[in-house]
Amino acid sequence: MLKGEQLINVEINNMKKLLIVLFMILASSANGQSPCGDDGLCVVQFNAGFNEANKVAWLGELNDCETKFIDIQTDAAAAGKYKIVVVPTILIFSGGEEAGRFQANIMMKMEATKDEVQEKIDEIIMEDF
């Protein structure tokens, strides 16, 4: 009977490991979670070291929001999590959820202007009233 108990313990340990792996997969693929947290308005620029020449220099000049920069060359998981297909990409998060997206053109240059991104930020703020 000892072998039967050992087999049950092995099965339980395998199930625990499987549940842990499943939880880790689900947690890492959760969509809609802002890299800045779940409160307030946050604008994130995703770029890569190889595309430094096309970095959006005016991001820090935006009003009424927090800003953050993520280099997908050093944080490859972020590219998958936030579905970044071209750099630079600017994502606007409101309350932890994506509320706006601006992507570079085929030449990896941002075509959206500071005024266009600020207009989207202002629109999101007005919607919250």
Side-chain angles (χ1 to χ4, degrees), residues 75-92:
D75 186 358
K81 182 174 183 177
Y82 298 105
K83 298 177 176 73
I84 306 302
V85 295
V86 64
V87 290
T89 293
I90 295 173
L91 297 185
I92 302 173

Side-chain angles (χ1 to χ4, degrees), residues 34-45 59 62 64-70 90-100 117 121 124:
S34 166
C36 303
D38 292 338
D39 294 328
L41 200 56
C42 178
V43 180
V44 182
Q45 176 185 177
L59 193 76
L62 296 170
D64 303 317
C65 64
E66 179 183 346
T67 60
K68 186 171 182 169
F69 177 85
I70 296 178
I90 295 173
L91 297 185
I92 302 173
F93 292 92
S94 178
E97 298 293 324
E98 183 177 329
V117 175
I121 292 167
I124 293 165

Side-chain angles (χ1 to χ4, degrees), residues 8-113:
I8 290 172
N9 285 337
V10 168
E11 298 265 338
I12 290 172
N13 286 335
N14 287 340
M15 288 178 66
K16 286 179 183 179
K17 290 176 186 175
L18 181 63
L19 286 172
I20 290 170
V21 169
L22 181 61
F23 176 75
M24 290 172 62
I25 290 170
L26 291 173
S28 69
S29 65
N31 292 327
Q33 295 178 345
S34 166
C36 303
D38 292 338
D39 294 328
L41 200 56
C42 178
V43 180
V44 182
Q45 176 185 177
F46 294 85
N47 204 354
F50 63 81
N51 193 39
E52 183 70 23
N54 293 320
K55 183 177 179 179
V56 179
W58 45 257
L59 193 76
E61 299 172 16
L62 296 170
N63 297 314
D64 303 317
C65 64
E66 179 183 346
T67 60
K68 186 171 182 169
F69 177 85
I70 296 178
D71 185 335
I72 64 165
Q73 197 169 353
T74 58
D75 186 358
K81 182 174 183 177
Y82 298 105
K83 298 177 176 73
I84 306 302
V85 295
V86 64
V87 290
T89 293
I90 295 173
L91 297 185
I92 302 173
F93 292 92
S94 178
E97 298 293 324
E98 183 177 329
R101 178 180 289 252
F102 298 88
Q103 296 182 163
N105 62 22
I106 195 165
M107 300 301 291
M108 297 194 314
K109 292 185 180 183
M110 180 59 65
E111 290 184 339
T113 66

